Amino acid sequence: AAVAREPEGQQSGIGDGACDAATGGCAGVWAGAQPPASSSSAKPSVGPADGLSPGCLRFIARIKREPPVDLRLDISTLRSAADLCAVLAAAGEAGSVRTLTLGPWGGNEDADPGSAVPCDSADAALRAFFICSSIWSTWSLRSFAFVELGAVDASNIVLALSSMPRGPGLSTLKLVSLGLGTAGVEACAAALRTRHRCEPLHLDLSSNSLGDESVKALLPLLDATEASTPPIVVGLNVSGNPHITVIGLQRLLAAPGALLGLQALDLSECSLGPSGAQILASHLSAFGCALRDLTAYRCGLGVDGVLLLVAAASSAPFLRSLSLVANGQHSQSWLASVGATVARALSAPPPGLRGLTLSCPEAELAAARELVGDLPLRVILVPNQQNNYNRALFLGD
């Protein structure tokens, strides 16, 4: 992403006082933080003469009128690191934020072509976000997220993670579409390992170019460090990472804390195949399995894999929801090959299962709904042709 740079000799806003009035002295925080050098290490620009973009000023006015519960800082409204600091300062005064999201944020290519204000890079936005950690780290957040930050240095994400609120209530961390890869997720996992006495997290790592080797970094997060404390992570979303295969799945579920600690798992669009269904079914059938929510959308499980998982779910004591959409249930005679077996497996009330989501051909949808309508749980049937759910799994980078 392109970074707006100032003429040589001109003082930049962040770190030199331009945003101090808005943030209560973020320049001092910058001086002490010593952020790591990166390819986009130039200090961010501050936009027009008044230091803030028109979109930022409108955003601040809206915050003052209506204190936000959900605060999203993205490039559709903000243009510079100074904008970001000013909005965080205004939200801090409001004291109402419970979910905080940075992103999407790319660079100049995402800016409004008609805007006279250049856009700072995602790395500049991340560093400014860390500068203002004295503001947001004290908030009583429920959710904390970085989403679609273009070409960022993982070390800048780690800096922000180190300042995450540690009080009760923060239960969701989303690191989505950041291109972390194995090295990035290792760095982030190391930062999270310091949270062993905090509330357990549901961690979303979807669409991050992860593979089987990446899974190794997550294993310590699933294991309680002490008998009296829960694991750091109790929910995990690795969807949209097709290079995670059955090898990574087996490694994940074999972790010491996975059976008793892992409560939610989303494996959508991971390349699991029928053998992945067998591993998941064995996990669900194991004594003490704590899994409550399992999603495996478009994992190549096949009809036999789907039926195997439904059978295992019917006796899993804690499982509440199971989603197996787009796993080859488009075969001919769905009612006979899939529907009848599902109906038999779930005819008696399952101990925990309350919701099941499956694909079904549109031609058989009406009859299928009648077949499952009287089951002792909610069965959601998704018309697979309509949504192109059974297209080939993308295995690109």
Side-chain angles (χ1 to χ4, degrees):
V3 181
R5 301 182 185 273
E6 298 166 284
E8 186 176 354
Q10 181 174 335
Q11 294 295 314
S12 132
I14 299 298
D16 294 309
C19 69
D20 284 6
T23 64
C26 71
V29 180
W30 174 269
Q34 297 181 344
S38 70
S39 59
S40 55
S41 59
K43 295 176 181 178
S45 62
V46 297
D50 60 6
L52 301 175
S53 70
C56 173
L57 296 175
R58 290 192 296 269
F59 198 172
I60 292 173
R62 187 164 68 248
I63 288 174
K64 292 179 178 179
R65 292 194 309 268
E66 303 175 7
V69 174
D70 305 315
L71 181 64
R72 177 180 285 272
L73 309 168
D74 63 46
I75 207 168
S76 68
T77 305
L78 309 178
R79 289 291 177 264
S80 68
D83 281 358
L84 190 147
C85 288
V87 168
L88 284 170
E93 292 177 1
S96 58
V97 178
R98 295 297 175 265
T99 67
L100 177 60
T101 302
L102 175 59
W105 195 298
N108 285 330
E109 70 276 6
D110 295 316
D112 179 357
S115 174
V117 184
C119 290
D120 285 334
S121 69
D123 268 322
L126 260 174
R127 293 195 300 273
F129 187 80
F130 172 67
I131 287 169
C132 297
S133 59
S134 60
I135 300 173
W136 52 259
S137 63
T138 62
W139 294 351
S140 300
L141 296 177
R142 297 190 300 261
S143 175
F144 189 78
F146 297 127
V147 179
E148 296 181 35
L149 302 179
V152 291
D153 187 331
S155 59
N156 287 324
I157 298 175
V158 170
L159 273 177
L161 292 180
S162 67
S163 299
M164 280 174 58
R166 292 178 173 268
L170 180 58
S171 60
T172 301
L173 171 62
K174 298 181 180 181
L175 305 175
V176 177
S177 298
L178 303 178
L180 291 175
T182 297
V185 81
E186 287 173 349
C188 292
L192 293 177
R193 286 201 291 271
T194 64
R195 297 183 58 85
H196 60 274
R197 293 187 178 274
C198 301
E199 183 163 336
L201 292 171
H202 287 252
L203 176 60
D204 187 344
L205 291 170
S206 53
S207 303
N208 268 299
S209 302
L210 306 183
D212 293 333
E213 287 298 308
S214 312
V215 172
K216 292 180 181 178
L218 305 176
L219 304 186
L221 303 180
L222 303 177
D223 193 17
T225 55
E226 301 174 11
S228 59
T229 59
I232 297 169
V233 168
V234 294
L236 184 61
N237 183 343
V238 290
S239 64
N241 291 291
H243 292 292
I244 293 180
T245 71
V246 66
I247 296 173
L249 174 63
Q250 195 162 27
R251 184 173 288 155
L252 180 70
L253 297 183
L259 182 65
L260 302 179
L262 191 58
Q263 299 175 10
L265 182 60
D266 191 337
L267 299 159
S268 298
E269 297 189 300
C270 293
S271 306
L272 304 182
S275 56
Q278 295 175 0
I279 293 172
L280 286 169
S282 296
H283 184 76
L284 288 174
S285 302
F287 179 76
C289 177
L291 201 59
R292 302 176 68 184
D293 302 290
L294 175 60
T295 302
Y297 158 76
R298 206 157 68 92
C299 293
L301 305 179
V303 171
D304 291 341
V306 167
L307 297 179
L308 183 63
L309 277 173
V310 170
S314 68
S315 58
F318 299 110
L319 192 68
R320 300 179 308 179
S321 68
L322 176 64
S323 178
L324 301 173
V325 171
N327 278 290
Q329 307 98 308
H330 56 292
S331 59
Q332 295 294 323
S333 303
W334 185 93
L335 289 172
S337 61
V338 178
T341 304
V342 169
R344 283 195 301 272
L346 301 176
S347 58
L353 193 62
R354 295 294 176 265
L356 171 65
T357 307
L358 298 172
S359 295
C360 177
E362 287 187 80
E364 300 182 72
L365 196 56
R369 285 173 175 162
E370 185 175 348
L371 176 66
V372 301
D374 294 329
L375 294 179
L377 74 160
R378 186 182 184 191
V379 178
I380 301 173
L381 298 174
V382 177
N384 52 22
Q385 288 102 328
Q386 173 183 320
N387 295 285
N388 196 24
Y389 276 133
N390 290 290
R391 65 191 186 278
L393 181 64
F394 174 65
L395 294 176
D397 294 326

